[in-house]
Amino acid sequence: MTIVGLSPLPQVKSTAEPAAPIRYFHARAAGVDEASLQAAHRFCNGLMRSRGLSMMGLAVPSKASLGDVIHSVYGDQVTRLLDRDNRSELRGTVIQLLTEKIQVRRLNGPVLAAGIAPTLLLRIVAALGVTDIVFVPATSADLETYLEAFPDSLACYPMSSLALDVLAP
């Protein structure tokens, strides 16, 4: 299967049909700051709870991106585990780190993509089982490119009423 209709993004091939289409969400903020990342993380937690899942992905440009903002949202322990093991499993929630170099075959849950260039997004978030992508753009140009590729994406920060309906059981 080839994903079509993504003119600004490269074509990505998948060998298996996904169980359900991936849903797309985004923060309407230019830049990965603490408020937008915290809101996107809470939204991902809500998506996981609404489906009874315990795993999410955290897609960042590289491990070097685990610095200030991500550290302030996730804390010492999670950031240290992500840096050392590419995965954090605390209090029943698994966070899997994803970068261009760190990939997994299967990830059953949403992915928070923080500061990822839209042209790399589908390559980094290529695992089977991804239910949703929550995009936090690094720049306003990245947000425009993302919205051209995924016009049905709903704003999760500031929260739109449509995105809020997604979290309802």
Side-chain angles (χ1 to χ4, degrees):
M1 172 181 103
T2 302
I3 298 174
V4 293
L6 303 177
S7 57
L9 302 178
Q11 299 297 308
V12 176
K13 293 184 179 184
S14 173
T15 58
E17 282 292 321
I22 295 175
R23 293 187 302 178
Y24 296 90
F25 303 91
H26 63 277
R28 285 184 293 201
V32 180
D33 61 16
E34 190 171 342
S36 61
L37 189 62
Q38 183 70 36
H41 176 72
R42 281 195 307 265
F43 189 76
C44 282
N45 278 335
L47 291 170
M48 289 188 316
R49 276 194 310 275
S50 72
R51 297 193 184 107
L53 302 173
S54 61
M55 180 180 236
M56 69 173 278
L58 175 62
V60 294
S62 69
K63 272 194 176 185
S65 304
L66 293 175
D68 297 332
V69 175
I70 290 178
H71 182 267
S72 66
V73 170
Y74 289 96
D76 287 331
Q77 192 171 16
V78 171
T79 305
R80 188 174 39 250
L81 287 169
L82 290 173
D83 189 37
R84 187 183 68 208
D85 301 331
N86 303 333
R87 179 182 173 105
S88 167
E89 190 167 347
L90 296 171
R91 295 182 291 266
T93 300
V94 176
I95 300 173
Q96 174 65 53
L97 183 65
L98 301 169
T99 68
E100 254 189 298
K101 293 181 180 180
I102 302 168
Q103 298 287 305
V104 294
R105 287 182 177 264
R106 186 146 194 63
L107 192 150
N108 191 26
V111 173
L112 193 165
I116 299 289
T119 55
L120 299 176
L121 183 64
L122 292 180
R123 189 173 342 150
I124 292 172
V125 185
L128 294 174
V130 171
T131 58
D132 309 271
I133 294 177
V134 179
F135 182 70
V136 180
T139 66
S140 56
D142 283 351
L143 179 58
E144 288 176 28
T145 302
Y146 173 83
L147 290 174
E148 285 176 21
F150 305 105
D152 294 336
S153 180
L154 299 174
C156 66
Y157 176 76
M159 182 75 75
S160 73
S161 59
L162 294 173
L164 191 57
D165 289 343
V166 170
L167 298 178

